[in-house]
Amino acid sequence: EAYDKLRTNAIQFSAPRLNQHAKAPWRNFEFSCFSQVGDDGLLYRIFGILGWGNRRSVEIGYFPHEANTVNLIVSQNFSGLLMDGNTDLTVTRSWYASIDGYLDILKEDHRQSQQMRTFKTPTDMDLSMKCAPYCLETCYNLNCFKAPVTVKTPHLHKGKVTAENAGELIDNAFRPESVRGDGGLDILSIDIDGMDYFIMKGILDSGVKPRVIATEFASHLGHELALTRPYSAEFSAAADSFQYGASIMAFIKLLRRFKYRFIGCVEWNAYFVLESEITRANADSAFPEQDAFSCFYQDQTTRKSEVIRLHKALAVEWVEVEAAKPKGWDEIYSLLTKNLA
């Protein structure tokens, strides 16, 4: 019922062409309330089958109004942790505040000089909206989009998230309760265009094993090699360089070691469910294991985009992970350039 109610008011995604249907097992369940693509619908499907658990979420890399766990925080009363090195905390707090709290934040902001303001001066369109006089055209408060709701304001962290500190940051947010062990956390979502593989590994090594994991992968690296950039706690790369992240196979191999099942993708986001959760819910048939190729829809437009991204990515070295004898860069380069043919 909750799924149907949300889907009625959500952005819908059309079914893929027939020859792609077998590669998109979740497309019929996708919808978006706050996710960038259809992840909100898939997460309702997953937790509708597995159960909602402790209702705890962690997202590394987010926009206040557009992330994979926002809908769970807003609609399912999840206790969330949102971490990002760039997102303005004032904007995030304004998003989750009550209407009165939101207006107070904006009024305080507009007492500052024009150069120091976080929020722009309201336009005529802003003033005509129901949150007037301080609602923006892109209204940064969830109550502007629906009837006022009561949510648990998520824990927020602005700063560098690394393989070394990620587990501790999660621990600190949820104390005195523990999220360590199988299923202590319900979902982890990572999308930081950086050391995603190593941060995920660091979290798992710390003993945190979420029931569900979602991660963005670098589709231009293909579906055969387990690749990522060499680790650096200070890593950064331009968004349009495509010289960051990790391949789908790097995540599949890593998470297989920690007893996760790869269940498929929503566009460029890969989803994994803890095997023990599937067994507990007797949901083996609901979550058949997928292969990496199921995430690649090689129509002409997609193919052109992947080739352009791969050309840029090949300007720097990548390393193979989750391999007994990792290939050297020369061999990796040779194998990747075959995909340019």
Side-chain angles (χ1 to χ4, degrees), residues 46 50 210-213 259-263 271-278 287:
I46 291 172
L50 297 181
R211 300 165 70 209
V212 178
I213 291 178
K259 310 300 183 185
Y260 283 85
R261 180 182 299 185
F262 172 54
I263 65 167
Y271 277 82
F272 302 83
V273 178
L274 198 59
E275 287 281 4
S276 59
E277 285 292 309
I278 294 174
F287 300 114

Side-chain angles (χ1 to χ4, degrees), residues 48-108:
I49 293 172
L50 297 181
W52 294 96
N54 298 311
R55 298 180 190 251
R56 298 177 186 142
S57 63
V58 171
E59 186 136 13
I60 306 175
Y62 74 96
F63 292 111
H65 64 296
E66 185 180 271
N68 289 336
T69 62
V70 172
N71 192 48
L72 298 176
I73 294 169
V74 173
S75 300
Q76 285 297 328
N77 206 31
F78 269 54
S79 297
L81 167 62
L82 302 175
M83 298 192 281
D84 196 282
N86 299 309
T87 300
D88 192 313
L89 292 184
T90 301
V91 175
T92 305
R93 292 189 181 105
S94 76
W95 173 251
Y96 289 99
S98 65
I99 287 291
D100 288 342
Y102 174 60
L103 295 180
D104 287 342
I105 290 171
L106 291 179
K107 289 174 183 176
E108 183 64 30

Side-chain angles (χ1 to χ4, degrees), residues 2 58 73-74 80 134 170 201 214-215 220 246 256 260-261 288 290 301:
V58 171
I73 294 169
V74 173
Y134 290 99
I170 293 172
K201 183 177 181 298
T215 181
H220 52 281
R256 187 178 291 153
Y260 283 85
R261 180 182 299 185
Q290 302 294 319
T301 301

Side-chain angles (χ1 to χ4, degrees), residues 49 97 279 325:
I49 293 172
T279 301
K325 294 182 178 180

Side-chain angles (χ1 to χ4, degrees), residues 221-287:
L221 297 177
H223 61 276
E224 296 175 338
L225 299 175
L227 302 177
T228 182
R229 294 293 307 282
Y231 182 68
S232 169
E234 301 304 318
F235 178 88
S236 71
D240 61 355
S241 72
F242 303 103
Q243 298 166 0
Y244 48 77
S247 67
I248 181 69
M249 191 53 72
F251 292 115
I252 290 176
K253 288 186 173 182
L254 169 66
L255 288 163
R256 187 178 291 153
R257 284 201 292 115
F258 285 90
K259 310 300 183 185
Y260 283 85
R261 180 182 299 185
F262 172 54
I263 65 167
C265 298
V266 175
E267 300 295 342
W268 48 83
N269 293 327
Y271 277 82
F272 302 83
V273 178
L274 198 59
E275 287 281 4
S276 59
E277 285 292 309
I278 294 174
T279 301
R280 181 193 57 78
N282 193 26
D284 195 68
S285 61
F287 300 114

Side-chain angles (χ1 to χ4, degrees), residues 114-169:
Q114 186 76 34
Q115 293 75 19
M116 296 299 293
R117 291 176 185 174
T118 299
F119 301 94
K120 68 181 181 68
T121 301
T123 65
D124 289 341
M125 182 178 291
D126 295 330
L127 298 177
S128 69
M129 297 178 71
K130 62 183 179 181
C131 292
Y134 290 99
C135 187
L136 308 182
E137 291 174 17
T138 53
C139 182
Y140 262 88
N141 184 271
L142 62 92
N143 295 290
C144 294
F145 295 94
K146 59 193 299 184
V149 294
T150 301
V151 301
K152 295 178 182 176
T153 302
H155 304 282
L156 305 175
H157 171 79
K158 182 178 181 180
K160 201 80 171 177
V161 180
T162 67
E164 293 80 15
N165 71 6
E168 183 180 0
L169 290 170

